[in-house]
Amino acid sequence: MSEKLSRQERRRAWRYAALIVICLLLCGALIRLISGHGREAACLPPTHAAVTEAAQGLDSITIDAVFDPERKQLTATQVMTLRNPSGQALDNVTLRSYSGAYLSGETSPVANDELFAASYGERFSTGGLILDSAMINGEQADYAWADEARTVLTLPADWPADAEITVTLAYHVNIPDCGSRFGVQEGIFALGNVFPTLALWQDGAWRAEPYVSIGDPFLTECANWTVRLTLPRGYTVASTGYAEPTFLADAAVYTLQAQAVRDFALVISDQFSTAHGMADDVLIVACAREQSAARRMVKYARQAIACYEAHYGEYVYPTLTLAEVAFPYGGMEYPRMVMIGSSVIAATDDSLEITVAHETAHQWWYAMVGSDSYYQAWQDESLCEYALMDYVGQVYGAAARESTAFDRIETAMRITIPRGVTPGSPIDYFQDLTEYSQVVYRRGAALWMALETLMGKEQLDAALRDYVLAHRFSQASREDLTLLLSQAAGQDLPPLMEDYLDTYIVN
């Protein structure tokens, strides 16, 4: 039997219901604030067909990792399913594990006169990957470090041509107090080039160049990555992949996937605010200590993606993440991810916009189209500098593009470099970052300005779009690019390119 409620009782019931709803909403907001520090929800766009197609048959890397901020340590098990890249039988598997260089002040890439104080402060801090065990096809395997810096890891193996092999590594990574692509500073943990990758096989041998302090001495083929990361609640993860966390009682679990990428990087902090935006069907995520900075990074990245898609073809990955890192650089690129220096974020000039635009261009020139960043660093860096000119022109107009080109490129051509380095020099020829950026970035970009004058802007852009389509997800040599440009220009370009890339300028 039911009874009819009085008007007063109905009002009281409505007040109770409204109070319950308000309390639930407040509790939900509080939980989100505690667990995500201002995290906003975002939907992951679908994977582009080009990425899905490229992922077929690629090596796979699966990592289960636990991050402990108190101990400054990452503990991981990594399983790599690798196909013999040589076309011949091999007696070993060679991996690159770059963080090992940070274990010693003698081998750390930032323990030199130029970077030590900015990276370490007053004293050196050791850190790097410590290998606990290795297995091949489920059997315990011997291993050896082939270099003093512990960046070249060899495992004896009977590896037939075109056969697959499974390598399982158990390791822990001690994170140094260091402002670099690897290290922790001001509560921000940067984990760049930490996970072992298969060495690049080229010209009948494994590439094993040293981890030098200038440029990006990392050479990797595309692979499919899955990283399952467990860490304390309250920490935000920026990475090559993107996923919202699953929360446990006192931990959060991220399952991060990225197909057809050359590497996988992480930035972790409990200080981050997060902003999201869309550039057509690309999700842009930015993490910074200040919400306003994250929003500015999203704005500039959105503008950059729109510009570069118009000039060079579409960005095929579903996400791009930008993360603040306390290091003495403007920025550093990784597939689907960019590290941006805290000092650049704090600057009152246009440094942040220029840095985001340059690093976003690396998603075309490095992430999608690979090249030899050790011996031909100009091939991606000068193109990113040239792309910056297009960004300035699209956002601020032709006059601004011309002025920026003069300030950054023409002026660099007039500076006397006292040593015989050229844009085409290997990165270990350069003595400091200023010399490297002046010669490789800016003098290298003069080649692209000359090609623009020779071919016309529309024809050069069309050639660069063809370059992307021809070499996306692979490695393009200097010869590949020279041939493509010559065909597009309808004339033999090696003399012009040698003049700009290999000739020492005397002013």
Side-chain angles (χ1 to χ4, degrees):
M1 176 181 283
S2 62
E3 296 181 353
K4 189 175 181 179
L5 297 176
S6 69
R7 180 177 298 178
Q8 184 176 5
E9 289 172 326
R10 288 199 300 271
R11 287 177 177 174
R12 186 180 300 114
W14 278 111
R15 283 199 297 270
Y16 286 153
L19 182 61
I20 291 172
V21 170
I22 292 172
C23 288
L24 289 173
L25 290 173
L26 289 174
C27 288
L30 181 60
I31 289 171
R32 288 193 298 272
L33 180 62
I34 293 172
S35 63
H37 289 263
R39 173 181 301 280
E40 306 164 20
C43 296
L44 183 64
T47 301
H48 193 284
V51 175
T52 301
E53 182 180 353
Q56 303 303 310
L58 291 181
D59 293 346
S60 68
I61 301 175
T62 301
I63 297 169
D64 284 285
V66 177
F67 171 67
D68 186 340
E70 296 298 323
R71 299 177 63 188
K72 300 178 184 176
Q73 190 173 87
L74 185 80
T75 304
T77 299
Q78 177 169 330
V79 180
M80 311 172 72
T81 302
L82 309 172
R83 180 168 290 279
N84 188 325
S86 69
Q88 65 189 54
L90 296 174
D91 62 5
N92 75 89
V93 181
T94 297
L95 307 177
R96 299 307 306 266
S97 179
Y98 292 102
S99 70
Y102 289 78
L103 289 166
S104 166
E106 299 298 319
T107 58
S108 169
V110 292
N112 56 17
D113 291 341
E114 181 183 18
L115 295 170
F116 189 99
S119 299
Y120 290 109
E122 296 182 355
R123 63 187 183 88
F124 176 75
S125 173
T126 188
L129 184 146
I130 306 297
L131 187 59
D132 300 315
S133 67
M135 292 190 296
I136 293 181
N137 293 334
E139 300 291 333
Q140 204 69 29
D142 294 328
Y143 60 86
W145 298 100
D147 63 332
E148 181 184 357
R150 297 167 68 93
T151 69
V152 182
L153 177 64
T154 61
L155 298 89
D158 179 12
W159 199 1
D162 298 323
E164 279 191 350
I165 200 168
T166 299
V167 176
T168 303
L169 307 175
Y171 55 84
H172 59 279
V173 179
N174 297 319
I175 304 169
D177 292 310
C178 177
S180 182
R181 51 167 61 95
F182 170 54
V184 54
Q185 283 282 295
E186 300 176 15
I188 301 174
F189 293 81
L191 300 172
N193 306 102
V194 166
F195 300 122
T197 56
L198 183 66
L200 184 67
W201 179 270
Q202 198 171 72
D203 299 326
W206 297 109
R207 292 282 296 269
E209 285 79 12
Y211 191 170
V212 295
S213 61
I214 303 294
D216 305 294
F218 316 115
L219 305 167
T220 49
E221 297 284 12
C222 287
N224 300 325
W225 291 72
T226 299
V227 178
R228 289 187 286 268
L229 178 67
T230 303
L231 71 172
R233 293 180 67 136
Y235 281 82
T236 297
V237 176
S239 77
T240 295
Y242 177 82
E244 289 294 317
T246 299
F247 293 110
L248 305 177
D250 57 354
V253 179
Y254 287 79
T255 301
L256 305 158
Q257 295 182 312
Q259 293 183 317
V261 294
R262 301 183 188 283
D263 206 340
F264 199 103
L266 299 167
V267 178
I268 305 170
S269 181
D270 62 353
Q271 303 176 20
F272 280 156
S273 291
T274 305
H276 297 87
M278 297 295 296
D280 290 332
D281 57 352
V282 178
L283 172 63
I284 302 170
V285 184
C287 300
R289 286 180 286 192
E290 296 294 333
Q291 182 74 25
S292 59
R295 288 172 178 161
R296 288 165 62 206
M297 288 195 285
V298 168
K299 173 187 174 181
Y300 300 143
R302 181 191 292 119
Q303 292 175 171
I305 288 175
C307 173
Y308 303 149
E309 285 195 326
H311 286 282
Y312 315 129
E314 60 185 335
Y315 178 81
V316 296
Y317 294 117
T319 63
L320 175 64
T321 299
L322 304 96
E324 178 179 355
V325 173
F327 58 17
Y329 312 102
M332 286 185 178
E333 71 278 5
Y334 289 92
R336 292 176 52 180
M337 181 180 169
V338 172
M339 297 179 181
I340 302 293
S342 296
S343 61
V344 169
I345 291 174
T348 57
D349 58 13
D350 59 359
S351 295
L352 177 59
E353 184 172 9
I354 288 172
T355 301
V356 170
H358 176 94
E359 301 301 339
T360 302
H362 272 299
Q363 299 305 310
W364 278 257
W365 320 123
Y366 152 72
M368 283 194 282
V369 180
S371 56
D372 192 332
S373 57
Y374 199 96
Y375 290 107
Q376 303 292 337
W378 68 273
Q379 201 164 329
D380 69 297
E381 293 295 1
S382 70
L383 261 174
C384 291
E385 184 72 9
Y386 177 70
L388 176 61
M389 303 307 111
D390 286 341
Y391 173 87
V392 171
Q394 181 156 314
V395 177
Y396 297 104
R401 184 183 195 267
E402 183 177 352
S403 175
T404 303
F406 177 83
D407 290 343
R408 297 179 69 88
I409 300 173
E410 181 63 28
T411 302
M413 296 293 286
R414 300 180 182 186
I415 296 173
T416 298
I417 304 295
R419 305 179 316 110
V421 291
T422 68
S425 297
I427 56 178
D428 57 6
Y429 278 34
F430 295 91
Q431 64 180 1
D432 57 44
L433 292 172
T434 298
E435 181 180 82
Y436 176 66
S437 62
Q438 288 286 350
V439 174
V440 173
Y441 291 48
R442 300 186 179 189
R443 288 190 177 183
L447 166 66
W448 299 103
M449 300 302 290
L451 288 169
E452 180 181 311
T453 301
L454 175 69
M455 300 170 62
K457 179 60 177 165
E458 290 186 5
Q459 190 174 5
L460 178 57
D461 282 355
L464 290 174
R465 288 193 292 273
D466 289 341
Y467 179 49
V468 172
L469 291 175
H471 299 285
R472 194 164 56 189
F473 311 115
S474 65
Q475 298 279 350
S477 68
R478 172 171 170 169
E479 291 72 25
D480 292 330
L481 178 55
T482 302
L483 177 61
L484 186 149
L485 290 170
S486 295
Q487 291 173 340
Q491 57 183 289
D492 191 31
L493 291 182
L496 173 69
M497 298 183 71
E498 290 168 8
D499 188 35
Y500 275 91
L501 298 174
D502 307 319
T503 303
Y504 178 58
I505 299 173
V506 179
N507 295 317

